Amino acid sequence: MNTQTIAFHTPVKKSVMPERWSVDEVEALFKLPFADLLYRAQQVHREHFDPNQVQLSTLLSIKTGGCSEDCGYCPQSAFHSTGVEDRKMLELDAVVAAARAAQQAGADRFCMGAAWREPSQADMLSVVDMVKAVRGLGMETCATLGMLNDEQTEQLREAGLDYYNHNLDTSPEFYGDIISTRDYQDRLDTLERVRRAGMHVCSGGIVGMGEDLTQRAGLVAQLANMNPYPESVPINNLVKVEGTPLAEQADLDPLDFVRTIAVARITMPTARVRLSAGRQQMSDAIQALCFLAGANSIFYGEQLLTTGNPDVQRDRALLDKLGMYAFADKS
Ligand code: SAM
Ligand code: DTB
Ligand code: SF4
């Protein structure tokens, strides 16, 4: 078992870099007694972060529905009848108004999401304007637009985009059970382009899709073995949406969700680990355990992309109850 995580994270040339975490090692972490796992995660967390501070990202769907990919979890795929309509892209003014409102509510990062396999060149012109305008408000920017080519990553970097979100979603072995319209390698290629262009990488996945423990460990190992690993790691609990192939999926034991957060924290010590989709269905107690396990970021605001998220009052009450605070609270 790797107990020298930090030493192992020294940047090394890719060709000679040993795998930092084998799937077996990650799986062994998942199997630790719960108290041992959380203790270890909390120790790693405290080495790198203020354990009472949380980063708040607000999401906005700038282009909703009608996506040409068949991701089995996603309400926005044109392959599934979920009632989510195919809408045209939001106007710049509407995006700026939403970002301003998020900032006033205390968010420090604004993430713009689009239901695209990849953006067109015309789409890129609009997104570039949005990124510049949101940055102009003094917020960190994030976008999640699907696959990117080199030219598009360059356009986003020049616009000043801080983070690009592109999730691996699950392990390479389970991926084909969930998505057939693209390959795992497509995701890795886009992430590599984002990294090369010099933007921060936001990449994580979804648990509770029917993956077994080895496959869940496989996702974390893939993320942790990226060189460097992502700066931001969203861990989503599947939101079951009627009309998607995963609508009837059995619930994940909430403690297994907490374990996933802890394992992400231990294997990616300096990453922001985000407690992402699925919070609306989660008790305060489970969320508190997630923070104890090393989560230090959340999506903040009533809406994720098409599904709900706890409202601001509930989140503020939760943070107060736990003695936690956001960036904006102390600046
Ligand atoms: N189309 C782009 C893409 O797939 O990268 C960007 C938007 S897509 C909705 C962003 C991420 O949302 C997905 O990679 C997936 O991890 C997450 N997501 C989508 N539907 C979800 C659901 N029902 N439950 C949890 N996470 C979900
Ligand atoms: C991420 O990992 N989760 C967010 C964000 N990145 C883009 C999206 C969650 C979407 C949940 C389903 C929906 O609201 O449509
Ligand atoms: Fe499209 Fe992204 Fe949804 Fe997949 S996850 S269907 S790519 S919007």
Side-chain angles (χ1 to χ4, degrees):
M1 178 95 29
N2 176 3
T3 51
Q4 293 178 314
T5 318
I6 297 119
F8 274 49
H9 188 51
T10 321
V12 191
K13 266 200 199 132
K14 204 172 189 179
S15 54
V16 295
M17 196 194 74
E19 203 178 52
R20 272 193 292 264
W21 288 92
S22 70
V23 175
D24 284 351
E25 283 173 329
V26 176
E27 196 171 336
L29 287 177
F30 271 101
K31 288 180 174 164
L32 284 173
F34 191 75
D36 293 346
L37 176 61
L38 257 67
Y39 180 65
R40 190 158 159 197
Q42 181 63 199
Q43 280 181 312
V44 173
H45 192 43
R46 281 173 186 263
E47 272 177 46
H48 300 281
F49 292 101
D50 171 347
N52 301 311
Q53 190 236 40
V54 69
Q55 185 268 323
L56 305 180
S57 289
T58 293
L59 271 173
L60 178 69
S61 181
I62 59 166
K63 163 67 186 83
T64 304
C67 183
S68 62
E69 302 267 24
D70 70 351
C71 312
Y73 47 78
C74 186
Q76 304 198 70
S77 165
F79 287 80
H80 320 318
S81 302
T82 61
V84 172
E85 284 170 31
D86 181 358
R87 302 224 185 95
K88 64 178 178 48
M89 198 177 349
L90 293 183
E91 299 289 339
L92 178 62
D93 287 357
V95 174
V96 173
R100 200 172 270 128
Q103 189 176 36
Q104 275 160 8
D108 50 87
R109 190 178 304 166
F110 192 69
C111 180
M112 294 160 270
W116 291 323
R117 173 177 166 82
E118 72 255 300
S120 70
Q121 284 316 319
D123 297 331
M124 285 304 296
L125 296 179
S126 304
V127 173
V128 160
D129 287 344
M130 291 173 189
V131 170
K132 286 181 177 164
V134 174
R135 254 202 140 214
L137 300 175
M139 295 185 90
E140 280 189 329
T141 51
C142 177
T144 180
L145 315 169
M147 291 184 262
L148 299 178
N149 60 32
D150 285 329
E151 193 188 333
Q152 292 168 332
T153 44
E154 200 48 40
Q155 282 175 288
L156 290 172
R157 190 196 59 77
E158 277 174 17
L161 187 73
D162 297 297
Y163 288 80
Y164 193 74
N165 167 249
H166 200 63
N167 291 337
L168 291 181
D169 283 327
T170 190
S171 70
E173 293 74 20
F174 191 54
Y175 200 77
D177 288 23
I178 303 294
I179 301 154
S180 75
T181 49
R182 59 166 189 259
D183 294 337
Y184 211 71
Q185 192 58 47
D186 294 327
R187 298 301 268 188
L188 294 170
D189 290 348
T190 291
L191 289 170
E192 181 61 31
R193 288 193 183 99
V194 171
R195 182 58 84 198
R196 262 201 324 251
M199 287 176 285
H200 292 124
V201 169
C202 173
S203 187
I206 310 177
V207 292
M209 298 196 291
E211 73 283 354
D212 63 25
L213 189 56
T214 308
Q215 291 163 339
R216 202 170 300 146
L219 164 67
V220 177
Q222 279 286 330
L223 294 165
N225 287 327
M226 288 167 82
N227 184 29
Y229 56 72
E231 283 80 13
S232 179
V233 179
I235 305 292
N236 296 275
N237 199 3
L238 174 69
V239 179
K240 291 181 258 181
V241 179
E242 223 182 296
T244 62
L246 294 181
E248 304 302 327
Q249 187 58 47
D251 280 343
L252 181 74
D253 183 327
L255 294 180
D256 286 335
F257 185 82
V258 177
R259 283 179 181 275
T260 310
I261 298 272
V263 172
R265 167 53 63 222
I266 292 167
T267 54
M268 293 171 273
T270 61
R272 283 263 160 207
V273 175
R274 183 171 308 119
L275 165 52
S276 301
R279 279 199 312 117
Q280 200 172 35
Q281 294 76 18
M282 240 174 245
S283 67
D284 284 1
I286 290 294
Q287 293 189 60
L289 281 175
C290 287
F291 293 130
L292 197 64
N296 58 359
S297 171
I298 56 173
F299 284 123
Y300 178 69
E302 282 79 37
Q303 181 90 356
L304 291 167
L305 292 173
T306 65
T307 65
N309 197 44
D311 61 36
V312 162
Q313 288 77 5
R314 179 181 163 195
D315 276 342
R316 284 293 172 183
L318 176 62
L319 295 183
D320 279 354
K321 202 158 43 168
L322 299 175
M324 295 179 76
Y325 59 89
F327 283 163
D329 301 337
K330 288 240 164 148
S331 54

